[in-house]
Amino acid sequence: MLFPWNNNANSKDCAKSRLKLIIAHDRASINSDMLMAMREEILDVVARYVEVDREEMEFSLSNDQRMTSLTANLPIRQIKRLGELQKQLQENNGIDLQKIEVVEIDRNEDNAKSNPK
Amino acid sequence: MSRIIVVTSGKGGVGKTTTTSNLGAALAKQNRSVALIDADFGLRNLDLLLGLEERVVYTALDVLAGECRLAQALVKDKRLKGLVLLPAAQNRNKEAVRPEQMQKIATALAKGYDYILIDCPAGIELGFRNAISAAQEALIVTTPEVAAVRDADRVIGLLEAEGVNKISLIVNRVKPHMVEENKMMSVEDVLELLGVPLIGVVPDDEKVIESTNRGEPLVLGEHESTPAIAYTNIARRLEGEKVPFLDLLANQGNILSRLRKIFGG
């Protein structure tokens, strides 16, 4: 570099990197409607497999040292029976992934009962 | 089919009202009928920038109170056929109107005009919600500064949540020589951060202040200035025309800065 005084002139990059962080932060924290919608959707999926205690559960977005994370604490009341689960999944013939999972559960039935996914 | 467009920014003082007045005048100059709504109740300024302040008789609030007809409250711009202003009330605060009322006015105006441009107040409270309630599209005005860009992002999020999905960005007060020296974010930087399509770039220019001193939108001036061309181009892009963005560095830069660019990297 021929002109050393150019070195400390680059405040633009500073502005940009600061904005990148703060905008990500703002975007994660504003939309409570979106958070609610996501909560319901996640609960729907979880509820297919286990019964969740809706009163005791916690669901929150938190910011820690500029990292945003989603924390869900869902106490399980009861684990569904395999037969019940299969029936539900057959009715809900939406996604292929689910079918694959049922086949796997069938093979190790004992395992699946104590530790359903 | 008329278009209802809100001009908003979140942060104050970035050029919403200047943009609204110039775009209104530029569209009217292109033979479009345009109604400008000042939604900044309590702090109205659009009348002043348009030079129409002395001709304001009724305001939007009088229309809503039934004290006059909508057509009576509209102030016609004598310089431009097809340009009218619906002034905001000055003696009341932003809480004087509700979103449904604003919607009613804008929809009524949409029957008679090609464009309804709504000049939004700063902030994201009731005044903002009023201004965006009727809008189908939004023009976000920002400057290449941290506070303005952050607020713009916030406002874009709120607009999307309200279902206003046609959002375009105007980057105002760009200082090309500072951008060149990496002392100011470039238009590309701002675009990358905000992620909405660009519709205009307006350079920082003293002529903007001069034109507001006179109450005469720049696009009406006799001498063509760079910001006037920039505003006219935005109006043309609104009309669907493909207009290349101005090269703001074209007639910029002295020998010294060019040399520095070559040697300093």
Side-chain angles (χ1 to χ4, degrees):
Chain A
M1 180 140 316
L2 269 172
F3 295 90
W5 57 81
N6 272 358
N7 264 351
N8 53 12
N10 200 340
S11 62
K12 158 207 134 150
D13 288 340
C14 185
K16 205 175 160 189
S17 62
R18 287 175 64 215
L19 271 169
K20 262 190 189 155
L21 281 170
I22 199 67
I23 284 178
H25 194 271
D26 285 351
R27 281 184 192 170
S29 60
I30 45 168
N31 206 332
S32 63
D33 284 355
M34 217 166 86
L35 190 65
M36 284 286 282
M38 179 164 71
R39 191 181 79 161
E40 288 308 310
E41 215 166 314
I42 289 175
L43 275 177
D44 278 353
V45 172
V46 175
R48 278 186 222 149
Y49 300 89
V50 294
E51 200 177 305
V52 174
D53 188 345
R54 286 198 171 228
E55 277 168 19
E56 293 291 312
M57 68 177 195
E58 291 166 51
F59 200 91
S60 62
L61 268 187
S62 54
N63 295 298
D64 186 30
Q65 292 175 339
R66 294 202 172 263
M67 261 279 284
T68 306
S69 63
L70 171 71
T71 314
N73 189 356
L74 312 172
I76 296 172
R77 266 200 194 137
Q78 205 183 358
I79 292 164
K80 292 201 175 174
R81 299 183 74 94
L82 186 66
E84 212 180 330
L85 179 69
Q86 269 178 315
K87 216 172 91 188
Q88 266 185 6
L89 289 180
Q90 270 161 11
E91 282 166 17
N92 182 359
N93 44 10
I95 313 161
D96 285 348
L97 249 179
Q98 292 171 340
K99 284 179 190 161
I100 294 165
E101 219 158 17
V102 174
V103 175
E104 277 175 351
I105 291 167
D106 268 342
R107 279 196 205 122
N108 321 292
E109 202 167 315
D110 290 343
N111 226 342
K113 264 183 190 167
S114 58
N115 188 21
K117 277 195 173 172
Chain B
M1 193 43 200
S2 59
R3 294 164 70 179
I4 305 178
I5 307 173
V6 64
V7 181
T8 184
S9 68
K11 191 179 176 301
V14 295
K16 282 180 296 297
T17 309
T18 309
T19 303
T20 311
S21 63
N22 276 291
L23 284 185
L27 284 166
K29 227 174 152 185
Q30 290 167 36
N31 296 320
R32 289 295 178 172
S33 59
V34 186
L36 305 178
I37 302 180
D38 192 344
D40 202 346
F41 286 79
L43 289 170
R44 75 164 184 228
N45 279 321
L46 190 52
D47 53 340
L48 204 53
L49 295 206
L50 287 164
L52 300 175
E53 71 275 14
E54 287 185 5
R55 294 179 39 220
V56 174
V57 183
Y58 296 110
T59 68
L61 219 55
D62 299 318
V63 179
L64 289 170
E67 280 164 35
C68 70
R69 284 176 293 112
L70 180 57
Q72 284 177 299
L74 298 177
V75 184
K76 289 195 180 68
D77 193 315
K78 284 176 180 163
R79 297 158 297 194
L80 276 171
K81 199 174 144 271
L83 182 66
V84 297
L85 165 73
L86 178 63
Q90 181 68 331
N91 55 350
R92 299 285 191 87
N93 58 18
K94 288 173 189 172
E95 273 76 52
V97 186
R98 278 174 289 119
E100 313 87 73
Q101 295 178 306
M102 202 63 180
Q103 223 165 342
K104 221 166 137 187
I105 290 183
T107 341
L109 282 172
K111 284 174 192 146
Y113 294 87
D114 298 327
Y115 284 90
I116 317 296
L117 297 188
I118 304 169
D119 185 22
C120 182
I124 51 172
E125 300 83 30
L126 187 59
F128 167 78
R129 279 187 279 131
N130 282 333
I132 68 164
S133 63
Q136 304 150 337
E137 303 171 42
L139 295 175
I140 307 286
V141 184
T142 191
T143 61
E145 290 158 76
V146 284
V149 173
R150 182 196 193 174
D151 291 0
D153 187 75
R154 185 85 205 271
V155 161
I156 292 167
L158 292 171
L159 283 164
E160 283 173 344
E162 288 294 316
V164 183
N165 292 316
K166 203 170 172 194
I167 301 173
S168 321
L169 186 72
I170 297 174
V171 184
N172 197 13
R173 299 219 187 107
V174 177
K175 298 181 189 225
H177 64 278
M178 283 187 79
V179 174
E180 201 179 23
E181 290 170 17
N182 278 331
K183 288 176 181 169
M184 180 181 255
M185 282 183 286
S186 67
V187 175
E188 290 74 23
D189 292 328
V190 177
L191 277 179
E192 187 193 322
L193 287 160
L194 294 178
V196 291
L198 183 71
I199 195 169
V201 179
V202 185
D204 189 53
D205 198 311
E206 292 177 359
K207 289 193 191 77
V208 175
I209 294 176
E210 278 185 66
S211 87
T212 58
N213 288 345
R214 293 201 187 88
E216 189 179 74
L218 267 175
V219 294
L220 296 182
E222 284 167 29
H223 306 288
E224 258 199 347
S225 54
T226 331
I229 298 169
Y231 283 122
T232 305
N233 285 352
I234 297 173
R236 287 167 63 192
R237 289 185 198 111
L238 278 173
E239 286 278 271
E241 221 180 301
K242 282 216 169 12
V243 190
F245 290 97
L246 293 175
D247 181 8
L248 297 179
L249 281 173
N251 40 24
Q252 270 275 333
N254 48 32
I255 294 171
L256 190 70
S257 75
R258 289 207 176 152
L259 279 177
R260 210 181 274 166
K261 207 175 163 190
I262 295 165
F263 295 110

